[in-house]
Amino acid sequence: MNPLVTEKSVNCVLLDGREIEIGNALERLGIEVIYTEKCDELYEAISYHPDILVHPVEEKEVIVAPNVSQRFINELTKFGIKVVKGKTFLKRNYPYDIAYNVARLGNTAFHNLKYTDPVLREILEKKGVKFLHVNQGYTKCNMAIVDEKSFITSDRGIFEVGVRSGFDVLLIEPGGIILEGFDYGFIGGATGLIGEKRLAVTGTFYHHKDYEKIMEFLNKKGIKITYLTSGQIKDIGSIIPLF
């Protein structure tokens, strides 16, 4: 099972430890929230981001960076989640912070393979996952996964690899997404599937300049959108389903 593309209603997600308002919105939907803890080795904007610290292997199994806190690992195991430590210690500067930021659709994983954590890659390949190389290191950040064969990205390199590999991809303009300390964030980091064809979004797409293109693409795919706030969408390191 690929937990990033779930076929059932999600009961528990992983969320940036600073995002209490969004967590409360998810809890009102009946979804339990596990909050990340800060990784001091990373720069502030992404120091809590789930898609930087963790990769979900399958339901109730994750790979974590070895420098996440033990208290965070304990919180995951309290929920019955199997935790495997990767080999790559995360460091402040790109590309040494991207080892676990892998995007998956079906049995395909997208990442800059020069920097993929070897434990993560070995585990996924043993499960039959095929890896595709892209130059973008913040791959999961930059891919809003819509279903097993579709995603949205603002990265042309990811777009071209995806199209060549048979995926249905919407390319949007960069920008219009908040990430504190940066000009903008990425759409994958502002979204997450919380049920079959049910996409949770940190704000509303209305504020994005490609609003009409995004809505047309999602409507074509039969996606129901759940807006968690009424403001501009914000990159929070993805909403990651756990089970």
Side-chain angles (χ1 to χ4, degrees), residues 1-4 14 49-58 60-65 68 72 76 81-84 86 98-105 108-111 116-117 119-121 123-124 129 131 140 145 240-242:
M1 172 194 174
N2 179 356
L4 296 176
L14 189 60
H49 277 195
D51 59 18
I52 295 291
L53 304 173
V54 173
H55 182 81
V57 176
E58 56 184 35
K60 289 197 170 185
E61 181 180 352
V62 299
I63 300 170
V64 303
V68 302
F72 172 56
L76 291 170
I81 296 166
K82 178 183 177 182
V83 178
V84 178
I98 64 171
Y100 306 93
N101 196 241
V102 176
R104 284 167 56 207
L105 294 82
T108 303
F110 290 73
H111 202 230
T116 310
D117 177 72
V119 174
L120 183 158
R121 184 166 181 178
I123 287 174
L124 292 185
V129 175
F131 277 79
K140 175 61 191 74
I145 296 167
I240 295 184
L242 295 173

Side-chain angles (χ1 to χ4, degrees), residues 90-207:
L90 296 172
K91 299 178 183 178
R92 178 181 176 84
N93 294 327
Y94 182 92
Y96 304 108
D97 56 356
I98 64 171
Y100 306 93
N101 196 241
V102 176
R104 284 167 56 207
L105 294 82
N107 287 324
T108 303
F110 290 73
H111 202 230
N112 186 321
L113 300 184
K114 292 186 288 186
Y115 302 105
T116 310
D117 177 72
V119 174
L120 183 158
R121 184 166 181 178
E122 180 182 6
I123 287 174
L124 292 185
E125 286 183 335
K126 284 182 177 178
K127 293 179 180 292
V129 175
K130 173 189 174 184
F131 277 79
L132 294 177
H133 175 77
V134 293
N135 290 327
Q136 171 62 260
Y138 294 123
T139 316
K140 175 61 191 74
C141 296
N142 214 318
M143 291 172 62
I145 296 167
V146 173
D147 57 35
E148 297 280 17
K149 295 295 293 181
S150 314
F151 64 89
I152 303 170
T153 184
S154 62
D155 187 277
R156 182 164 291 278
I158 293 176
F159 168 78
E160 290 173 352
V161 171
V163 170
R164 284 199 305 269
S165 302
F167 291 92
D168 191 3
V169 190
L170 174 66
L171 181 66
I172 60 172
E173 291 294 320
I177 300 165
I178 296 169
L179 179 61
E180 298 295 336
F182 290 83
D183 291 341
Y184 57 85
F186 298 127
I187 191 167
T191 58
L193 289 165
I194 56 170
E196 186 174 15
K197 295 189 176 296
R198 188 179 178 195
L199 184 72
V201 188
T202 57
T204 69
F205 288 128
Y206 179 77
H207 301 278

Side-chain angles (χ1 to χ4, degrees), residues 215-231:
M215 295 304 297
E216 181 182 2
F217 188 77
L218 294 176
N219 287 336
K220 180 179 72 172
K221 299 295 178 181
I223 298 297
K224 178 182 178 183
I225 303 170
T226 299
Y227 292 128
L228 299 174
T229 73
S230 60

